[in-house]
Amino acid sequence: MDDSEAVLDTTKRMLESFGFEVQIAENGKNGFNLFQKDQFDGVFTDINMPVMGGVELIRKIRTLGSKVVIAAMSGGNTDDWKEVVLKIGADHALEKPFGVEEVEKICQSIQ
């Protein structure tokens, strides 16, 4: 989930190259609705999104008791954002721009 079309497209292509089927959401609320309807192996979410941000999305997913692998992405809002998302339940924290090697490492933890 991301509110940037370029980041969505690039991340989607990376994930598909590793054999994953990808669903897109432009914000956390839409992403959470998709998550409740489908079973996901992993969630990639931006921290700063309209309607519902990534921090709230991560909390809501973990409140459901889900053990899905969550990767949080950000352009580096604050110095401690990585610590915050990992503390609330994200499994990975990616600083934008990130490369295919970082996504591959996360994909390996999903499979």
Side-chain angles (χ1 to χ4, degrees):
M1 289 151 248
D2 200 296
D3 59 338
S4 165
E5 194 170 320
V7 174
L8 281 171
D9 184 56
T10 301
T11 307
K12 180 180 187 282
R13 283 188 282 119
M14 281 189 221
L15 292 169
E16 288 174 339
S17 76
F18 294 113
F20 289 96
E21 183 179 320
V22 179
Q23 292 191 38
I24 300 277
E26 301 79 22
N27 62 61
K29 182 178 180 184
N30 291 348
F32 187 68
N33 290 338
L34 284 173
F35 185 82
Q36 289 181 297
K37 292 177 186 173
D38 255 330
Q39 191 166 8
F40 292 107
D41 296 320
V43 172
F44 280 69
T45 184
D46 191 10
I47 295 303
N48 291 314
M49 293 183 291
V51 185
M52 178 195 298
V55 169
E56 185 178 352
L57 175 64
I58 294 165
R59 284 186 175 133
K60 289 181 84 122
I61 289 172
R62 293 303 186 221
T63 299
L64 295 175
S66 175
K67 301 292 185 200
V68 68
V69 173
I70 299 175
M73 307 177 290
S74 179
N77 322 331
T78 63
D79 291 337
D80 66 343
W81 77 269
K82 289 181 180 181
E83 182 181 319
V84 170
V85 298
L86 294 171
K87 187 175 183 176
I88 64 166
D91 300 290
H92 305 276
L94 290 170
E95 189 157 343
K96 297 178 194 175
F98 50 85
V100 69
E101 299 84 16
E102 294 165 289
V103 174
E104 181 178 27
K105 190 178 288 187
I106 293 168
C107 289
Q108 290 170 348
S109 76
I110 294 171
Q111 297 175 341

